[in-house]
Structures are given as structure tokens and as C-alpha cells.
Amino acid sequence: MIDIHGLIKDFGVTRVIDGIDMTVSEGEVVVLIGASGSGKSTFLRCLNGLETLTAGEIVIESVLLERNPKSLKQIRREVGMVFQQFNLFPHLTVLGNIIEAPVHVLKQRKNDAIQVALELLTKVGLSDKQDSFPGTLSGGQGQRVAIARALAMHPKIMLFDEPTSALDPELVGEVLTVMKQLAEDGMTMIVVTHEMSFAKEVADRVIFIDEGRIVEQGPPSQIFGDPQEERTQAFLSRFSTSI
């Protein structure tokens, strides 16, 4: 579903992504790990056109990502993204947040969009919050609404950029549970996270990125059980108690 060739991203004189080649198959769950500042979040932002590429190409569902409205519109209909901060519209209810894009971007009938939104709220365990405003939600609830909002656009691919990093520890589990369910349902996912237990349990493939390069990748059993590269070993040694 995703083909990436020679991806380079510079910010001024600083190279953040340094020649990444990568493919992702339909239904695959890929987890990106690495230290803060290694380029993981920038990489995700390149995938849906939030960052311009310095060099290389990204093809999603046979569509070449280019800096023109038509290409970006096509890509963003295929790719949903959930950020660290859930960025809900504070003046809209939970239901209003979820139906906003389907109604105004996809031009769905409001009643149809509401029906889908209610089904998604049930899916993420928040069917009782449809009339609540974001300011009354916990962080975990807000992030689950953000996931439902992304799913309302019927994406074929979901990107998660450290979706639990801004949450209190006791709220992390409720978000990871929703993500695990999406994986079980066959959603193609690329996840940036420091939750190594999630990566070990859910990922089909784990990729360790350092200084904008893929250092090592493989199934969780290999990456966590027998990493081959010294940089991977050094990074994972910090998480030895959690994996």
C-alpha cells in the first residue's frame, strides 16, 4: 500500500530524514521506535503531505504524493492521522467533531455521518459522550475521540504519532486498547511510540530509526529478543524492564 524510495527531508542545513526506503503491505502494523529527535514524527508528517520532501518519492495506493491540491486530497482521503495532541475543536461537541470532516469534506449527508459517528463512538467506548464538549473529557477520552474522528473519513491507512505520550500513565491503556482492536480488524497502521510492550504485542514489523536512517528492522521477536545492531541494543537497554 505504501512505497517509499530515497526519502530525504532537510530543515535548512539539518538533515532529519536521510534516505529512507520502505514498503508497507495492506493490513500490516509497522511500529517505528527510536530516540526523540531521530526523525520518526517528521517521517510520518511526510507521508500525508504535512511536510514537503527534499528528495525521494512516496507512493500510496498507486498515487504519487506531490505538492498539488489534487494529489494531497487523494492521499489524505486514504490516510488518517492521530497526533500527540488530539486537537479537537473546543466549540463543537464530540459528535460535532467527528462529523465535521465527513459532512464538509466528503459531502456526506449529515444523518449518514451521524450514524457512522455513533457507531465509531461505540467502537472506542465513548457512546455516552456524544453531547460532551472536549474540555470536559479526560486525555484518554479526548484521544479516543480523535481516533474516531480520523476513522470517520474511512481511511485505508492510519498513522499514529506517539498518541499516548501526552497522557497520564493510567490513561494510556484505554487508547492502546482501541489501537489493538484496529490492528485486529486489519487496519494498515504505522505507529510511532515509546510503548515497547505495545510494539512487542501488536506489531508485524518493528523499525528502529536513528539520525533519520533505518538502522534495523524485523519482527518484534527479533528486534526485542535478539537485536543485531549496537545502536538498537543501546536504545532498547533503556526499556529492559518494560519489554
Side-chain angles (χ1 to χ4, degrees):
M1 295 186 78
I2 303 175
D3 286 290
I4 301 161
H5 304 285
L7 179 59
I8 292 174
K9 173 61 183 176
D10 297 337
F11 289 110
V13 297
T14 303
R15 179 148 295 179
V16 180
I17 304 295
D18 191 9
I20 285 182
D21 296 300
M22 179 176 159
T23 61
V24 179
S25 301
E26 183 175 1
E28 189 175 15
V29 178
V30 177
V31 174
L32 308 181
I33 62 172
S36 297
S38 59
K40 306 182 304 299
S41 294
T42 299
F43 174 74
L44 280 195
R45 290 172 65 85
C46 288
L47 289 185
N48 71 348
L50 289 174
E51 299 289 353
T52 57
L53 312 185
T54 302
E57 68 175 26
I58 296 172
V59 179
I60 297 177
E61 286 281 88
S62 302
V63 177
L64 177 64
L65 176 59
E66 300 178 284
R67 294 303 298 183
N68 62 66
K70 182 179 179 181
S71 171
L72 290 175
K73 187 175 182 179
Q74 285 181 283
I75 293 295
R76 288 173 181 164
R77 284 195 173 187
E78 304 288 345
V79 181
M81 187 162 181
V82 177
F83 301 87
Q84 296 178 36
Q85 304 294 337
F86 17 96
N87 300 323
L88 300 176
F89 295 116
H91 63 290
L92 296 178
T93 64
V94 164
L95 186 64
N97 268 277
I98 296 173
I99 70 171
E100 179 75 5
V103 170
H104 295 288
V105 178
L106 298 184
K107 306 302 181 184
Q108 290 181 3
R109 294 194 312 172
K110 187 174 181 180
N111 285 344
D112 293 340
I114 288 173
Q115 183 60 43
V116 171
L118 294 176
E119 292 171 1
L120 289 170
L121 283 173
T122 298
K123 185 181 185 73
V124 301
L126 292 173
S127 56
D128 60 333
K129 297 294 184 181
Q130 67 180 72
D131 296 321
S132 300
F133 286 87
T136 68
L137 303 177
S138 70
Q141 290 170 338
Q143 195 61 290
R144 283 185 281 158
V145 172
I147 293 172
R149 179 177 61 179
L151 292 174
M153 296 293 284
H154 305 289
K156 295 181 180 178
I157 300 162
M158 284 287 287
L159 310 177
F160 293 89
D161 185 10
E162 300 199 33
T164 61
S165 66
L167 302 181
D168 293 332
E170 64 268 22
L171 301 177
V172 169
E174 60 190 55
V175 175
L176 294 182
T177 297
V178 173
M179 294 171 63
K180 289 175 184 176
Q181 184 60 56
L182 288 178
E184 290 173 6
D185 291 344
M187 176 65 74
T188 305
M189 298 163 59
I190 303 180
V191 183
V192 170
T193 186
H194 285 101
E195 298 291 336
M196 297 301 154
S197 58
F198 171 84
K200 187 175 183 180
E201 179 182 350
V202 179
D204 296 302
R205 180 164 38 124
V206 177
I207 298 178
F208 173 59
I209 293 180
D210 189 46
E211 296 182 347
R213 302 184 187 95
I214 293 177
V215 175
E216 186 170 359
Q217 60 180 307
S221 58
Q222 185 258 302
I223 296 297
F224 295 119
D226 187 26
Q228 302 299 301
E229 300 292 331
E230 287 186 13
R231 282 189 287 174
T232 314
Q233 295 166 8
F235 174 75
L236 290 176
S237 67
R238 310 175 201 172
F239 298 92
S240 57
T241 58
S242 62
I243 56 176

